[in-house]
Amino acid sequence: VCGCVMQNKMEPTAEEIDSDAALLEAYPEASVYSLKKRIRFLRARNLKVPQAVKLLKQHTQWREKLKPESITQEDISVALPSGTWRLGPLSKDGRPTVIIDCAFWRPHEYDNDEYERYATYFMEHMEKRFDELNQEQHIVIFDMSCWRMSFSTHLTKAKTLVSLVQDQYPERLFKAYLYNAPWIFEASWAIIKLWADERTKEKIFFIKEADLPETMHADIDPAELPESLGGTRATNFAIPNIPGEPNVEQVDAE
């Protein structure tokens, strides 16, 4: 469980500014990115400039290939209506949240490419939310109650998600709550955690109902959370619940 206090705003330090200067000298093309973004990539590599340069170059190649800013709902037409992902409420200190509910996950219905577009679609729109809300990080809530044994055959998608969090949107994650993970998830977690670096693993918290007051509900008003997450909100959030994007009807499993 989480008993930590994390910083809300992350202004660059003098050391980070110096590291950024070194990064730009080694990779002038990185000037297309904002200072804040470059600092995030530096932090992801503990201010080791060569490693941060490599990460940024790979990120640039990824953006050129995937074109994440151009992903539309039509590009994720199978995954999106499942309702697995949706934006949730703001936290008590104004951070945006994402709710990922395993009860609606049907990974056998689409390939890893669509899953990558699906997760990226939300992350790209989250980037816009950060600017609108003057925030830098978000909270992710995984409702793990309905994790199934069959999901273990789709861990490539989990690996893709870890890579997106660490390599394409580094330092955007504030906390990830894994709520009510059943014992059968342990075998999958033993594999997934091998793909996560220490900075990411430090932000992941496994919690049960008894932990909610000191963890998730300390961050997010339970009145804003659905009953499945120990809250008192009577209805679930719309899909995808992204400002400026149309909501879609949920499509249940056949």
Side-chain angles (χ1 to χ4, degrees), residues 78-200:
V78 178
L80 182 64
S82 71
T84 308
W85 288 54
R86 58 191 87 195
L87 292 199
L90 299 182
S91 69
K92 292 177 181 179
D93 54 7
R95 289 187 178 89
T97 67
V98 181
I99 297 174
I100 302 174
D101 193 336
C102 288
F104 304 127
W105 196 33
R106 302 193 293 274
H108 61 282
E109 293 184 352
Y110 48 90
D111 60 17
N112 193 59
D113 288 342
E114 179 160 347
Y115 183 77
E116 182 177 22
R117 294 193 300 272
Y118 183 37
T120 300
Y121 168 80
F122 277 87
M123 292 183 182
E124 277 293 295
H125 280 284
M126 192 65 74
E127 292 292 302
K128 299 176 184 177
R129 292 292 284 156
F130 291 136
D131 292 337
E132 294 166 359
L133 299 168
N134 192 28
Q135 292 288 338
E136 296 185 26
Q137 294 182 308
H138 63 274
I139 296 172
V140 180
I141 302 169
F142 292 87
D143 186 343
M144 303 294 293
S145 306
C146 293
W147 181 269
R148 304 168 192 164
M149 190 76 75
S150 61
F151 290 166
S152 64
T153 63
H154 296 276
L155 293 188
T156 300
K157 294 181 174 68
K159 185 176 184 180
T160 294
L161 179 57
V162 172
S163 177
L164 288 171
V165 169
Q166 296 180 165
D167 303 333
Q168 313 306 341
Y169 302 91
E171 299 301 302
R172 283 309 202 183
L173 179 65
F174 179 62
K175 296 177 186 175
Y177 286 119
L178 275 66
Y179 178 58
N180 269 349
W183 67 268
I184 58 172
F185 180 66
E186 292 178 6
S188 294
W189 175 243
I191 298 172
I192 294 170
K193 69 180 181 181
L194 297 176
W195 301 321
D197 61 29
E198 289 304 315
R199 293 179 73 89
T200 301

Side-chain angles (χ1 to χ4, degrees), residues 194-210:
L194 297 176
W195 301 321
D197 61 29
E198 289 304 315
R199 293 179 73 89
T200 301
K201 285 188 283 191
E202 288 172 357
K203 300 174 182 180
I204 297 174
F205 305 99
F206 288 83
I207 60 172
K208 298 291 186 180
E209 185 175 359

Side-chain angles (χ1 to χ4, degrees), residues 87-92 97-99 139 141 177 179 207 212 215-237:
L87 292 199
L90 299 182
S91 69
K92 292 177 181 179
T97 67
V98 181
I99 297 174
I139 296 172
I141 302 169
Y177 286 119
Y179 178 58
I207 60 172
L212 288 174
T215 57
M216 191 194 306
H217 292 177
D219 283 327
I220 305 165
D221 187 342
E224 299 293 329
L225 291 169
E227 294 176 1
S228 60
L229 296 174
T232 56
R233 179 185 169 95
T235 59
N236 206 341
F237 294 93

